[in-house]
Amino acid sequence: MLFISAALAVTLLLWAGFQIAKNRASPSVGKKGLENMSAPTPARSQSRGGTDESSLLSSTGLAAQTRIADNSISAGSNSQSTVSGPLSTLAVAQAVMVTVELDFGAKIPSIATAVLDIERRYQADDGNGRTFAILDAYGEPTPTGKLHISMHVSTEKPGIGSLIFKRTGETLWTSRIVPSKDPTKRPFTGKNLSIFIDDGAGKMLTLDGSANPTWIMETVVKEKAVLLDTYWPSGVEHEVTFIYSACGCPVKVMARREGNRVVRTKELPVLFPDDPAAVEVIAKLMRW
């Protein structure tokens, strides 16, 4: 199901209803420098908790026409092996930044390739599906010949989650995930995709997608009562923010309109490596 509608005052918001299988796999990140993070939000927007729909937008009743096939990658597993020693604890719908320097030998891969070498292990309390997802990944080679990677991990349901470097078997991150005490923060449903656009002056614009457009420029800028096609001329660059997570964490990219398509102007970050179906929807809407 795909919904694009009004919401939160400083960005462009797109609502998409996905039918994505619960058991998605993900690339991974590291361990040196692990920091719990509250879910960051776009400027001037209210904080979002979990997948609470009212905190994301008010639906305009967009017709349910798009169903997404489950194209999840197979980097994760439901291994029931236990991890020795005490586990750190995170609540559902929280985020953690995991950073590591990995040794790939003489040939350092791209970030997109490197995350495929990190296994995600899930041990859900209910025995089904993944317990966390990697939202984005970025980094660069170090002067010592290693690859520095940083990634956002969003906790999705109670259980245990781990990131394992396949080449060495090293545990890069592991945590016990517990239910949140905040009733608005619930396990991830995989149905809500939000897209925001910065107008270049620190303000957010709201898109009305009730006409079920096939690409982003066909949406209406609610505050301006014009199509985004008119508001975003060719050759102009904007920061575009995507939210598709339990934690409500923004994933930001820089993009420029070039005629009848939008192109990314920077390769990083890698977007939603654990949710290729969501990435496919984004690519179709943006035409990149």
Side-chain angles (χ1 to χ4, degrees):
M1 305 176 97
L2 180 60
F3 291 86
I4 308 173
S5 62
L8 314 173
V10 187
T11 45
L12 172 161
L13 175 62
L14 171 67
W15 179 279
F18 293 116
Q19 301 299 322
I20 303 177
K22 297 179 181 178
N23 208 358
R24 308 172 191 82
S26 14
S28 39
V29 292
K31 155 180 158 190
K32 296 181 182 175
L34 182 63
E35 177 185 358
N36 287 339
M37 303 174 62
S38 58
T41 54
R44 302 185 187 177
S45 67
Q46 61 187 7
S47 62
R48 304 169 180 79
T51 53
D52 180 31
E53 298 182 1
S54 64
S55 69
L56 290 174
L57 58 81
S58 300
S59 174
T60 57
L62 183 62
Q65 296 185 7
T66 303
R67 289 185 177 272
I68 311 301
D70 181 14
N71 296 321
S72 299
I73 59 178
S74 57
S77 71
N78 287 313
S79 171
Q80 297 298 307
S81 61
T82 59
V83 179
S84 61
L87 296 179
S88 62
T89 300
L90 288 171
V92 167
Q94 285 191 333
V96 63
M97 174 68 82
V98 183
T99 300
V100 69
E101 290 184 1
L102 299 178
D103 189 350
F104 286 89
K107 187 176 181 179
I108 301 177
S110 67
I111 296 295
T113 299
V115 294
L116 298 177
D117 252 325
I118 304 175
E119 178 185 1
R120 271 74 88 199
R121 290 186 183 175
Y122 319 113
Q123 187 177 336
D125 286 353
D126 64 5
N128 183 39
R130 74 188 190 190
T131 55
F132 67 93
I134 296 172
L135 305 182
D136 65 2
Y138 56 92
E140 60 187 0
T142 70
T144 59
K146 295 183 179 181
L147 184 63
H148 180 94
I149 306 177
S150 294
M151 294 181 63
H152 283 108
V153 172
S154 175
T155 56
E156 296 188 338
K157 65 188 301 184
I160 295 174
S162 302
L163 296 172
I164 310 296
F165 188 34
K166 294 180 182 179
R167 297 197 175 202
T168 63
E170 179 187 6
T171 298
L172 305 176
W173 166 82
T174 188
S175 184
R176 157 64 68 178
I177 301 165
V178 299
S180 175
K181 295 181 180 180
D182 185 341
T184 67
K185 294 183 178 181
R186 300 188 293 269
F188 187 49
T189 63
K191 294 181 179 180
N192 309 324
L193 170 66
S194 303
I195 300 180
F196 304 81
I197 184 171
D198 186 350
D199 72 347
K203 296 183 179 179
M204 301 175 80
L205 301 174
T206 303
L207 293 189
D208 181 352
S210 57
N212 200 26
T214 59
W215 92 293
I216 204 71
M217 295 300 166
E218 295 173 353
T219 60
V220 174
V221 182
K222 183 178 180 181
E223 293 83 353
K224 305 294 183 179
V226 297
L227 288 175
L228 183 62
D229 184 44
T230 300
Y231 188 84
W232 191 352
S234 184
V236 174
E237 184 179 47
H238 285 284
E239 182 180 73
V240 183
T241 299
F242 301 94
I243 294 178
Y244 184 68
S245 62
C247 66
C249 305
V251 176
K252 300 176 181 291
V253 304
M254 295 303 299
R256 180 178 62 249
R257 183 179 181 182
E258 293 185 355
N260 63 354
R261 60 192 291 258
V262 177
V263 299
R264 292 187 59 174
T265 56
K266 295 182 180 179
E267 180 182 355
L268 296 177
V270 174
L271 296 177
F272 305 112
D274 291 349
D275 289 293
V279 173
E280 181 180 357
V281 168
I282 291 170
K284 288 180 178 179
L285 287 169
M286 308 301 285
R287 294 183 180 174
W288 59 35

